[in-house]
Amino acid sequence: MGDALNQKENQEQTFRTIEISVFRYNPYSKHSKPRFETYSLSETPSMTLYIALSKIWATMDHHVSFDFVCRAGICGSCAMVINGKPRLACKTRTEEFLDGKITLMPLPTFKHIKDLQVDTGSWMNAMSQKVESWIHTKEKTDISKIEKRVEPDVAQAVFELDRCIECGICLASCSTRIMRESFIGAVGLSRVARFAIDPHDERTDADYYELVGDDDGIFGCMSLMGCEDHCPKELPLQTKIAYMRRKLVSQAIKS
Amino acid sequence: MKIIYTDALIVGGGLAGLRSAIAVRDKGLETIVLSMVPVKRSHSAAAQGGMQASLGNATKGEGDNEDVHFADTVKGSDWGCDQEVARMFVTTAPKAIRELASWGVPWTRIKKGDREVIINGQKETITERDEAHGLINARDFGGTKKWRTCYTADATGHTMLYAVANEALKRNIEIRDRKEAISIIHEGDRCLGVVVRDLISGELCAYVAKGTMIATGGYGRIYKQSTNAIICKGIGTAMALQTGIVQLGNMEAVQFHPTPIVPSGILLTEGCRGDGGVLRDKDGYRFMPDYEPEKKELASRDVVSRRMVEHIRKGKGVSSPYGDHLWLDISILGREHIEKNLRDIQDISITFNGIDPADEGSKGWMPVLPMQHYSMGGIRVKPTGESTTMRGLFSAGEAACWDLHGFNRLGGNSVSEAVVAGMIVGEYFADYCKNTHLQSHTETIQNALEGQYEYLKTILTYNGSHNIFAIKEQMRNVMQEKVGIFRNGKDLNEAVVELEILLKQTREITVNDKSMGNNPELNEAYRVPMMLKLALCVAKGALERTESRGAHYREDFPKRDDANWLKRTIATWQNHEDTVPTLSYEEISIDTMELPPAFRGYGRKDALIPHPFTQNRETQIEKLKEQMGDVDRFEIQEALMPFELPNGYKDKNERIGEKNG
């Protein structure tokens, strides 16, 4: 017992101190000026940025603002720029930063709210409406009858693309998006691909061409693939954007 | 200060709120949904393993129907649920899943022919029928007779929420996020709307509607260890309580899930065990069959959680810096299965613990410990979803206690309930809004708005020595240690006293940032007292309930006492100055039950004090069945316990190979 306690104490002594610099700014306040605030704290085993920021908020600075919801990597709320790369903060462990210095910035390309908070909700809803992110069908479903059959592999393929969590990381990694505000990005294009392969959806290539057959859509992508490099759900964005582009190029030729 | 008018106001943008919004919008009403977060971030998205609906497509689901789902749900609830609501639910669930399929939820589908599965730790081959090919598949879950839990890998809630949210966007339903409702506006027992705080600007605004619905989810964050999202603070439930009129039901009924991962508390779905995963102790021994020979790892959640803690108390836990835990072993399912059907689980385990659960042997075992997971209690409503005591106030989903789950919810019944309640309650809510005139009680509204403004201003003038963050931590510790899985009178008494002190201390704090704008310190200063009131409802309800039922387990009263406790706890907060809720009880009548109280089929067999009327009702049911002779199950059901559903939801559900369908 004594040994175990000593061991625990020794462990505590070996915890290193890490420094987290957080971008601070409230665009809604007249007095606020953009700046960085640096916090030093003791790193605990398996510490994530969720744990670290919560600790900073609860014990060091009650005024710092950031967003977490699920803290499990499935809701997409906590995307931010971590040492220069857009990532989900809840899935980022502090131990991977060998020098113990971490700089946090809000996600670019979205409207800034305060500190590390950005408004992804309005943008994502507008995108969903632009690409009409829902099933289009003339068929009327009687929900008391047996459901329409779907090939298991097709359902699986749709699910692969349905895993997108609208975190916004693909947009923050996208050069086109940074230059052109109206570009719908990988999130929008993979969404279109998702409905294009869904057997419930009756839309044709011509319909999709109407929606995204321009520089704000499928022809805006420069294939730099920052989106796929950073996507936390590891979605096959490159192949799906290429798939949609092939489809819509042949549609363009046809019409 | 602004006032915004609409026909139907829905607070909460998860599955229940959004599905209700669709029901209302489809009746031509103007609808606004308010949410603290972008709606697709709602906690519904975190549901992993699946949605129960008795489709009976899969071989292992053959013979499933509403009756079987009903019996499982009632037993799961430990006879605490409202059986009429359970009937409404099981009848609508197959329709809900088929509607979602037509909205594009990519449910995992059945492939005809042989497939290998793990059952009871052994490999088995099952054969899916030709006629089921391409229909919705199902997996096994705890406390169910059939494989009934439909799924999209382990991201079921996510795909459901996205489909429903997109359908809401299609209908141009107005969704306003980063808005937090903090107070209900009412004139007497008539709800007029809510006061809302904009979480970006801090601005207060009154939303006034013909009808108001609260669908804000559970209150798990009052516990230190919870699988719930950060936002599950129960603010919607608490603001209903603070009216002094609205009743909360069964707040002490709190579910602890057997397998959150240690220490982060992130959930590992019941699907892990449903698909064949097992629990092991420090010796690598699979202990559950010793405790629950029939259902083993797949008894109901309350039973498995208690058995796990019981086993740890025998010294069989694995010690760690975060306390003792047990192991969840899914490596036996094989890498291919895990990477297809349990990939988020694998991702969570690798990211947060550095363990790949597909690694063979003990290397892949994941550390687990039961933690708070679900709130069975909530705003007490009628089967229509309307508050029992306030007109024009509705509630649906986890926030509500219409009472589908009684004292324990079955896995797979949560997202299922959220959507089904959205369909059913959404209809009743729409009808109410349609038949009600908007009443402009301008003075009441103005007073409510100014009252909240003054209250927040007052918080900023507090000049005390306490810290709101410290108070919150203490509350969460008290709940964890004294109102947990195993409860007793002494601890519960202490918990109530300590929580009362903490509640008083919330007025003896100092908020350093005096801004009424985006001020995360002020957020906590008004939320924590609300959370404390809910915590007090839980603790006091648990203290007074001197029996054990479902998830509520009293070591000093280990039996389910139907003779004295076949009733629902009702909590109200009578006066603003009170430091404890006022409790009363609502009898659950055996005379109208379709399924009279009995042994659940798992858990302790000897722990039951029967109600004297149980025998009567059983005899009555037998006689009635005999008299009716050779009739189908629907006629018998109708005779035993008639129930109503709106919008054709009572139509018979078609199934392959079922004549009566």
Side-chain angles (χ1 to χ4, degrees):
Chain A
M1 186 66 195
D3 281 353
L5 271 180
N6 284 338
Q7 211 180 342
K8 210 179 161 209
E9 256 166 44
N10 288 338
Q11 271 175 10
E12 272 162 20
Q13 279 162 6
T14 59
F15 288 165
R16 63 174 183 164
T17 299
I18 54 171
E19 278 184 7
I20 299 185
S21 298
V22 179
F23 179 78
R24 302 293 308 275
Y25 178 51
N26 182 358
Y28 293 84
S29 159
K30 281 180 205 138
H31 317 293
S32 178
K33 289 201 170 56
R35 66 180 199 284
F36 281 95
E37 194 89 52
T38 301
Y39 308 93
S40 296
L41 66 161
S42 171
E43 187 180 45
T44 50
S46 320
M47 183 179 247
T48 61
L49 282 176
Y50 160 65
I51 295 171
L53 282 169
S54 301
K55 199 168 175 186
I56 290 170
W57 180 49
T59 62
M60 300 165 81
D61 183 347
H62 299 331
H63 312 140
V64 58
S65 295
F66 47 80
D67 288 323
F68 287 97
V69 178
C70 76
R71 57 82 173 87
I74 55 105
C75 81
S77 299
C78 63
M80 58 182 74
V81 177
I82 302 165
N83 281 2
K85 288 198 172 161
R87 305 174 63 174
L88 294 180
C90 73
K91 284 183 78 176
T92 303
R93 281 158 63 158
T94 53
E95 67 190 21
E96 71 171 85
F97 303 97
L98 297 178
D99 64 356
K101 290 191 189 339
I102 303 167
T103 303
L104 304 178
M105 305 262 288
L107 209 60
T109 79
F110 292 97
K111 193 174 175 217
H112 188 220
I113 294 174
K114 180 176 175 256
D115 304 341
L116 299 173
Q117 297 178 304
V118 296
D119 178 10
T120 54
S122 323
W123 193 92
M124 290 296 171
N125 286 350
M127 177 279 295
S128 295
Q129 285 183 310
K130 182 178 159 63
V131 305
E132 300 184 5
S133 169
W134 48 82
I135 298 290
H136 291 55
T137 178
K138 291 196 182 67
E139 215 173 291
K140 192 103 178 67
T141 304
D142 180 343
I143 57 175
S144 62
K145 296 283 180 279
I146 288 171
E147 65 274 14
K148 186 185 170 107
R149 285 168 205 274
V150 179
E151 274 305 311
D153 295 342
V154 173
Q156 182 68 29
V158 175
F159 170 67
E160 286 301 318
L161 293 178
D162 218 30
R163 294 175 64 241
C164 167
I165 54 173
E166 296 189 356
C167 61
I169 284 175
C170 58
L171 295 158
S173 327
C174 173
S175 305
T176 303
R177 166 67 184 160
I178 286 168
M179 292 186 297
R180 189 182 303 130
E181 204 160 292
S182 47
F183 181 55
I184 61 167
V187 57
L189 295 172
S190 69
R191 185 66 53 80
V192 174
R194 179 239 174 274
F195 285 97
I197 60 169
D198 190 325
H200 294 95
D201 201 312
E202 291 166 359
R203 276 180 286 185
T204 61
D205 288 354
D207 295 325
Y208 293 121
Y209 188 79
E210 274 300 305
L211 289 176
V212 296
D214 57 15
D215 284 352
D216 287 340
I218 197 72
F219 302 119
C221 169
M222 302 188 287
S223 304
L224 299 175
M225 291 306 148
C227 53
E228 181 158 326
D229 290 346
H230 294 106
C231 174
K233 302 305 278 188
E234 294 172 354
L235 297 178
L237 299 170
Q238 184 166 6
T239 51
K240 292 304 161 188
I241 292 174
Y243 164 77
M244 279 317 293
R245 191 187 291 122
R246 279 199 307 277
K247 265 168 100 73
L248 297 191
V249 164
S250 41
Q251 178 60 36
I253 294 164
K254 256 189 257 168
S255 55
Chain B
M1 287 188 248
K2 261 196 304 198
I3 303 175
I4 289 163
Y5 295 92
T6 186
D7 292 332
L9 178 67
I10 294 172
V11 184
L15 278 171
L18 289 171
R19 183 59 189 82
S20 299
I22 289 170
V24 175
R25 190 81 188 103
D26 284 350
K27 291 211 161 172
L29 294 154
E30 197 184 293
T31 312
I32 296 179
V33 175
L34 302 174
S35 172
M36 285 178 75
V37 295
V39 290
K40 286 175 182 166
R41 315 261 191 252
S42 304
H43 189 50
S44 303
Q48 298 170 346
M51 160 174 181
Q52 281 207 43
S54 61
L55 299 180
N57 292 331
T59 293
K60 286 282 188 180
E62 222 181 315
D64 200 6
N65 60 33
E66 297 82 6
D67 296 0
V68 189
H69 191 185
F70 172 78
D72 284 347
T73 301
V74 174
K75 288 175 191 171
S77 81
D78 223 353
W79 273 271
C81 76
D82 181 330
Q83 297 196 4
E84 192 185 328
V85 169
R87 262 296 167 191
M88 293 163 69
F89 164 71
V90 298
T91 308
T92 310
K95 297 178 182 76
I97 199 166
R98 285 167 170 165
E99 179 177 82
L100 290 168
S102 76
W103 287 352
V105 174
W107 298 109
T108 299
R109 302 285 174 145
I110 293 170
K111 206 174 239 169
K112 66 183 172 190
D114 290 352
R115 66 177 172 126
E116 217 164 62
V117 294
I118 304 282
I119 298 173
N120 193 19
Q122 303 295 319
K123 270 191 189 155
E124 270 186 42
T125 302
I126 57 174
T127 311
E128 296 295 352
R129 296 168 289 177
D130 286 359
E131 64 266 35
H133 185 78
L135 297 180
I136 296 171
N137 207 346
R139 57 165 45 130
D140 200 5
F141 248 47
T144 64
K145 267 227 156 61
K146 303 279 179 184
W147 291 23
R148 186 187 300 125
T149 305
C150 308
Y151 60 102
T152 55
D154 54 359
T156 312
H158 165 82
T159 57
M160 292 170 71
L161 181 63
Y162 269 54
V164 174
N166 286 329
E167 285 293 321
L169 290 170
K170 171 185 166 186
R171 288 161 173 79
N172 280 316
I173 289 166
E174 194 153 339
I175 293 171
R176 300 187 180 183
D177 62 36
R178 294 184 187 267
K179 307 272 188 202
E180 182 177 24
I182 55 172
S183 168
I184 288 178
I185 309 169
H186 61 103
E187 196 157 84
D189 69 349
R190 172 84 186 264
C191 178
L192 304 176
V194 292
V195 176
V196 173
R197 182 160 179 269
D198 183 310
L199 294 175
I200 297 176
S201 67
E203 189 191 11
L204 293 186
C205 186
Y207 280 77
V208 176
K210 295 174 180 174
T212 302
M213 174 182 285
I214 298 177
T216 48
Y219 43 90
R221 284 277 149 186
I222 62 174
Y223 281 85
K224 183 177 184 178
Q225 292 184 314
S226 169
T227 64
N228 284 191
I230 317 304
I231 52 173
C232 300
K233 299 171 197 269
I235 299 304
T237 316
M239 75 175 177
L241 178 70
Q242 291 191 147
T243 59
I245 297 167
V246 179
Q247 302 179 325
L248 305 186
N250 284 347
M251 292 295 283
E252 67 272 30
V254 176
Q255 178 168 82
F256 297 85
H257 194 290
T259 60
I261 201 162
V262 176
S264 64
I266 296 168
L267 179 69
L268 304 176
T269 173
E270 188 157 316
C272 291
R273 285 170 289 134
D275 287 5
V278 298
L279 293 167
R280 298 186 189 280
D281 65 14
K282 68 172 185 183
D283 306 318
Y285 177 69
R286 184 186 173 202
F287 57 92
M288 275 309 292
D290 296 351
Y291 294 101
E292 295 294 327
E294 200 185 323
K295 297 294 285 183
K296 305 176 182 76
E297 279 86 357
L298 289 172
S300 64
R301 286 176 178 172
D302 57 321
V303 170
V304 177
S305 288
R306 271 196 298 276
R307 295 302 199 187
M308 288 170 72
V309 175
E310 202 178 329
H311 200 61
I312 289 174
R313 284 180 173 184
K314 286 181 185 164
K316 294 293 182 183
V318 185
S319 53
S320 84
Y322 302 100
D324 290 353
H325 65 77
L326 293 159
W327 299 114
L328 174 61
D329 175 10
I330 61 169
S331 66
I332 53 174
L333 307 180
R335 184 168 290 276
E336 194 192 334
H337 179 91
I338 292 170
E339 290 182 350
K340 186 175 169 207
N341 292 307
L342 296 167
R343 59 199 278 183
D344 276 1
I345 296 306
Q346 185 185 33
D347 186 26
I348 286 165
S349 181
I350 291 174
T351 305
F352 297 98
N353 291 65
I355 296 168
D356 182 352
D359 282 348
E360 275 177 42
S362 57
K363 209 175 153 213
W365 297 354
M366 300 177 283
V368 292
L369 188 69
M371 295 180 199
Q372 193 284 341
H373 179 59
Y374 188 83
S375 314
M376 273 79 72
I379 298 171
R380 180 73 186 125
V381 295
K382 305 172 204 170
T384 57
E386 191 176 16
S387 159
T388 42
T389 47
M390 184 173 282
R391 288 179 297 153
L393 181 74
F394 287 71
S395 184
E398 191 175 349
C401 175
W402 63 337
D403 196 0
L404 172 62
H405 308 302
F407 276 76
N408 174 65
R409 172 178 69 76
L410 289 186
N413 265 355
S414 67
V415 277
S416 194
E417 177 197 31
V419 178
V420 167
M423 293 166 78
I424 298 171
V425 174
E427 285 298 316
Y428 289 124
F429 179 55
D431 288 344
Y432 177 91
C433 294
K434 251 196 145 153
N435 299 324
T436 305
H437 292 289
L438 194 63
Q439 302 199 352
S440 186
H441 303 259
T442 319
E443 210 183 310
T444 309
I445 297 162
Q446 202 64 37
N447 286 344
L449 200 46
E450 277 162 21
Q452 284 305 304
Y453 184 80
E454 287 310 315
Y455 170 58
L456 296 183
K457 275 275 178 210
T458 309
I459 290 178
L460 295 180
T461 64
Y462 289 161
N463 188 15
S465 57
H466 291 285
N467 178 297
I468 199 70
F469 291 83
I471 293 173
K472 183 173 70 175
E473 277 322 291
Q474 287 175 57
M475 167 189 71
R476 298 178 70 202
N477 284 327
V478 170
M479 294 305 288
Q480 190 71 30
E481 284 157 23
K482 298 180 175 171
V483 200
I485 299 178
F486 285 96
R487 301 168 173 179
N488 65 67
K490 181 178 160 286
D491 283 352
L492 290 168
N493 237 324
E494 286 172 15
V496 172
V497 172
E498 287 167 30
L499 292 168
E500 279 186 84
I501 293 169
L502 290 172
L503 180 60
K504 287 178 200 153
Q505 287 175 355
T506 59
R507 291 179 209 166
E508 297 157 10
I509 57 168
T510 299
V511 179
N512 294 307
D513 184 347
K514 305 296 180 195
S515 158
M516 287 283 277
N518 186 336
N519 180 352
E521 190 182 6
L522 176 60
N523 294 354
E524 290 305 281
Y526 67 76
R527 287 173 191 163
V528 173
M530 298 173 95
M531 294 170 81
L532 270 162
K533 285 179 186 169
L534 298 183
L536 275 154
C537 290
V538 176
K540 183 92 169 116
L543 172 64
E544 299 300 328
R545 185 173 282 274
T546 48
E547 66 150 356
S548 293
R549 184 179 297 274
H552 169 71
Y553 191 86
R554 287 284 298 258
E555 290 174 291
D556 40 358
F557 299 93
K559 291 188 177 180
R560 188 182 92 200
D561 184 355
D562 288 343
N564 295 298
W565 282 103
L566 202 57
K567 47 188 154 193
R568 213 162 270 131
T569 308
I570 299 296
T572 54
W573 206 273
Q574 302 272 332
N575 300 298
H576 178 67
E577 295 75 27
D578 288 354
T579 53
V580 281
T582 303
L583 299 187
S584 61
Y585 294 91
E586 197 183 287
E587 294 290 330
I588 302 175
S589 167
I590 291 183
D591 299 344
T592 52
M593 278 187 190
E594 187 179 331
L595 196 64
F599 171 59
R600 299 164 93 188
Y602 42 79
R604 283 177 51 181
K605 243 182 199 151
D606 55 345
L608 187 60
I609 301 169
H611 191 286
F613 291 179
T614 305
Q615 189 69 49
N616 279 353
R617 182 61 180 161
E618 278 168 1
T619 319
Q620 229 175 25
I621 291 172
E622 278 316 306
K623 232 185 225 161
L624 192 87
K625 280 184 179 167
E626 223 167 86
Q627 279 168 5
M628 291 184 74
D630 191 21
V631 294
D632 71 20
R633 62 187 177 92
F634 298 98
E635 281 181 57
I636 294 174
Q637 195 287 318
E638 190 66 30
L640 289 177
M641 191 186 68
F643 68 100
E644 277 175 39
L645 276 170
N647 204 28
Y649 293 151
K650 212 178 165 179
D651 292 354
K652 288 178 185 173
N653 297 302
E654 190 188 13
R655 291 182 185 83
I656 50 170
E658 193 189 59
K659 275 191 210 129
N660 283 327

